[in-house]
Amino acid sequence: MKDILDAIQSGTATSADFAALPLPESYRAVTVHKDETEMFAGMPTRDKDPRKSLHVDEVPLPELGPGEALVAVMASSVNYNSVWTSIFEPLSTFGFLERYGKLSPLTKRHDLPYHIIGSDLAGVVLRTGPGVNAWKPGDEVVAHCLSVELESPDGHDDTMLDPEQRIWGFETNFGGLAEIALVKSNQLMPKPDHLSWEEAAAPGLVNSTAYRQLVSRNGAQMKQGDNVLIWGASGGLGSYATQFALAGGATPICVVSSPQKAEICRKMGAELIIDRNAEDYRFWKDENTQDPKEWKRFGKRIRELTGGEDVDIVFEHPGRETFGASVYVTRKGGTIVTCASTSGYMHQYDNRYLWMSLKRIVGSHFANYREAYEANRLIAKGKIHPTLSKVYSLEDTGQAAYDVHRNLHQGKVGVLCLAPEEGLGVRDHELRAKHIDAINRFRNV
Ligand SMILES: C/C=C/C(=O)SCCNC(=O)CCNC(=O)[C@H](O)C(C)(C)COP(=O)(O)OP(=O)(O)OC[C@H]1O[C@@H](n2cnc3c(N)ncnc32)[C@H](O)[C@@H]1OP(=O)(O)O
Ligand SMILES: NC(=O)C1=CN([C@@H]2O[C@H](COP(=O)(O)OP(=O)(O)OC[C@H]3O[C@@H](n4cnc5c(N)ncnc54)[C@H](OP(=O)(O)O)[C@@H]3O)[C@@H](O)[C@H]2O)C=CC1
């Protein structure tokens, strides 16, 4: 592993040098264990502690298959899907691995008693399998997390519709929170040259998701002038949605839960901000009953901020807690676009406000390769910036996931894998200097 790191850091190693480097038989990786899936049984979600379920293990290097690449991972990031895996909710991810393992002898590799998690990486290609022509050893890359087989016609218009669509490092094994990762080569994209490894690894999953959800024709198709209500506007998804709204000439209405988070949104350029904590919205009277008066109070606040207008698009992901309010405050003909249900997936809303006002609910999930590529291109051009706040070591991934689970973090949380320290891997210092304030906007807040 030391030789690999030395080659990456030398700045002079050629593709042939990388191809000639011997690969280790094993590497360190963040895992959950199959024999621990019941460890939190009966506990409330909030009390399930990722620090107890996430391990750093020495694992064997997987065999490289056709169309795949082994990547030396310099840095990764924590996504909420890793929190779900670590608390075994809404179900254990070992079921996904078992199902994938039934597809073919090659996919059987994924069905193991441990799950190496992580759906982001920035690093360097070490080896490519047969049939890979677009990438070679030594290429500096980031990886998006869409894994598809594309053997069915269903996925050939939009690859997210492939019946064998999976999220790498969540529904497949050999994820990015590790020193080495196994990906399909069509997950690879160029690493943005002006960013460090950990900055480059931070946007991937959430940036691509927000891009499809908000901008793409497969999502809400946001346009100039739209009012966009963004829940969790300084969080993982929201910090990119806010940037897309601003860059696309829309007006974000940012919902956050503290003055610090409101300040971050202001620093991104947002002007219309709602602190849901300070204004104490209680959309639910009790576990089963919502309070439409509170939806209306929330809608009035939005109208106050916009000068009387309602929102064209709601960027939804909190789910059960907010969904009724989201449907209510959307303007006639507007769109509620949802990609998650953090607070619960059994939503309730008043359907009269949906049909009578011709609103649409759009389901969105990650992004196809083209969408992920376009989202990464915006990062590489310095038009959208990473929202990295804090960086942990691989050993402390459990703590990092705990912070995200408890909503103690801002923006994105990074993890150093092979990178010995922060700040390495920057190739384009001129572009970096131009955007340095925006790149550091979320750091240490
Ligand atoms: C990029 C980052 C993303 C995120 O962070 S997202 C947040 C994290 N992700 C999650 O929380 C999602 C976790 N996933 C899940 O909870 C489950 O993954 C799903 C609920 C989405 C699906 O569960 P499943 O068990 O796969 O689906 P079923 O439909 O309940 O069961 C499958 C069986 O049901 C059959 N079936 C499917 N549709 C129908 C139908 N319309 N009529 C009759 N049967 C149907 C299938 O064929 C199959 O059958 P057979 O078990 O025999 O193979
Ligand atoms: N389908 C897909 O492709 C994807 C789905 N997801 C899912 O989206 C969800 C959010 O992910 P991500 O943005 O990375 O997570 P983060 O935790 O980084 O951000 C979410 C933000 O949402 C806000 N929030 C949380 N709970 C509530 C609530 N009950 N009511 C209102 N606001 C709330 C919080 O902001 P504040 O406290 O400031 O209001 C929080 O910071 C997760 O469930 C994740 O699994 C994520 C990426 C892709």
Side-chain angles (χ1 to χ4, degrees):
M1 208 64 83
K2 185 176 177 306
D3 292 345
I4 291 173
L5 188 56
D6 287 347
I8 294 170
Q9 295 201 261
S10 72
T12 55
T14 63
S15 180
D17 293 335
F18 277 99
L21 279 172
L23 297 184
E25 283 177 9
S26 65
Y27 63 99
R28 287 184 324 136
V30 177
T31 63
V32 284
H33 295 176
K34 197 171 191 171
D35 60 6
E36 291 183 348
T37 55
E38 294 302 318
M39 69 191 294
F40 300 132
M43 285 168 76
T45 298
R46 190 184 151 76
D47 296 342
K48 298 180 181 177
D49 188 340
R51 294 172 299 190
K52 299 205 167 101
S53 54
L54 293 181
H55 306 277
V56 177
D57 292 331
E58 191 75 24
V59 295
L61 191 72
E63 178 199 339
L64 179 64
E68 295 178 342
L70 284 167
V71 182
V73 184
M74 295 299 274
S76 182
S77 86
V78 172
N79 284 295
Y80 216 100
N81 64 350
S82 291
V83 174
W84 294 122
T85 302
S86 72
I87 60 172
F88 308 103
E89 282 195 26
L91 29 80
S92 154
T93 47
F94 287 100
F96 301 141
L97 304 185
E98 283 165 22
R99 195 182 286 181
Y100 192 30
K102 290 190 183 124
L103 197 62
S104 75
L106 262 182
T107 64
K108 182 77 188 142
R109 290 170 302 168
H110 292 256
D111 183 10
L112 294 168
Y114 56 88
H115 186 183
I116 303 166
I117 61 167
S119 301
D120 273 319
L121 71 73
V124 178
V125 175
L126 293 174
R127 293 284 192 281
T128 54
V132 178
N133 306 306
W135 303 95
K136 56 182 191 321
D139 285 346
E140 297 191 346
V141 294
V142 290
H144 70 75
C145 63
L146 170 62
S147 168
V148 281
E149 309 300 320
L150 288 181
E151 290 187 294
S152 146
D154 292 1
H156 280 263
D157 184 27
D158 172 9
T159 47
M160 279 306 295
L161 301 184
D162 187 44
E164 300 296 339
Q165 178 273 322
R166 290 180 174 80
I167 298 300
W168 161 70
F170 179 65
E171 292 159 304
T172 78
N173 219 322
F174 316 121
L177 285 162
E179 292 175 332
I180 294 180
L182 181 75
V183 298
K184 290 184 188 276
S185 67
N186 58 17
Q187 287 177 243
L188 297 175
M189 309 187 289
K191 171 188 165 288
D193 282 338
H194 66 301
L195 299 179
S196 66
W197 298 110
E198 64 280 5
E199 289 162 356
L205 182 148
V206 284
N207 185 43
S208 309
T209 305
Y211 184 79
R212 180 181 174 112
Q213 194 176 346
L214 202 53
V215 180
S216 164
R217 64 173 180 227
N218 292 313
Q221 302 184 73
M222 183 193 77
K223 62 184 190 318
Q224 292 181 46
D226 278 353
N227 291 324
V228 184
L229 181 74
I230 301 172
W231 291 103
S234 71
L237 287 167
S239 58
Y240 294 90
T242 300
Q243 293 188 68
F244 285 131
L246 289 165
T251 303
I253 296 117
C254 294
V255 187
V256 292
S257 63
S258 72
Q260 292 92 317
K261 290 182 173 189
E263 187 53 27
I264 296 178
C265 292
R266 267 183 218 103
K267 283 193 184 152
M268 281 193 283
E271 292 171 359
L272 312 186
I273 297 163
I274 297 176
D275 181 337
R276 65 180 172 103
N277 209 16
E279 297 183 23
D280 197 22
Y281 294 106
R282 292 168 191 243
F283 300 132
W284 290 82
K285 285 187 206 163
D286 59 49
E287 276 207 354
N288 300 308
T289 324
Q290 296 204 54
D291 185 352
K293 283 203 200 84
E294 284 293 275
W295 301 346
K296 188 168 269 187
R297 182 162 77 90
F298 183 57
K300 270 190 184 157
R301 181 77 185 110
I302 293 170
R303 286 179 177 179
E304 262 169 42
L305 290 171
T306 58
E309 294 179 344
D310 292 332
V311 295
D312 299 275
I313 299 169
V314 181
F315 186 85
E316 245 293 338
H317 51 88
R320 182 172 172 84
E321 185 144 336
T322 55
F323 205 81
S326 292
V327 170
Y328 180 79
V329 300
T330 303
R331 67 171 287 193
K332 245 180 194 272
T335 303
I336 303 98
V337 64
T338 174
C339 76
S341 290
T342 312
S343 65
Y345 48 76
M346 285 301 187
H347 297 184
Q348 274 183 24
Y349 63 90
D350 185 335
N351 199 37
R352 292 171 301 171
Y353 291 106
L354 191 84
W355 100 71
M356 294 297 285
S357 294
L358 302 106
K359 305 179 189 186
R360 295 184 310 146
I361 295 172
V362 174
S364 189
H365 186 39
F366 189 59
N368 62 38
Y369 191 6
R370 182 66 206 170
E371 289 161 340
Y373 196 92
E374 286 172 7
N376 183 57
R377 177 172 168 270
L378 290 168
I379 300 276
K381 284 180 168 287
K383 290 181 186 289
I384 301 291
H385 303 287
T387 59
L388 185 66
S389 59
K390 204 167 171 187
V391 180
Y392 291 81
S393 66
L394 198 63
E395 290 74 16
D396 287 334
T397 304
Q399 182 64 44
Y402 175 87
D403 289 358
V404 174
H405 181 31
R406 287 300 187 91
N407 198 14
L408 301 171
H409 68 302
Q410 319 279 355
K412 287 293 303 177
V413 170
V415 174
L416 294 183
C417 299
L418 280 172
E421 61 193 76
E422 294 180 39
L424 305 173
V426 177
R427 309 292 176 227
D428 183 343
H429 292 274
E430 203 178 316
L431 185 60
R432 183 179 182 78
K434 205 169 146 192
H435 297 294
I436 192 67
D437 290 344
I439 292 167
N440 285 330
R441 201 178 272 143
F442 279 67
R443 293 308 288 252
N444 305 316
V445 284

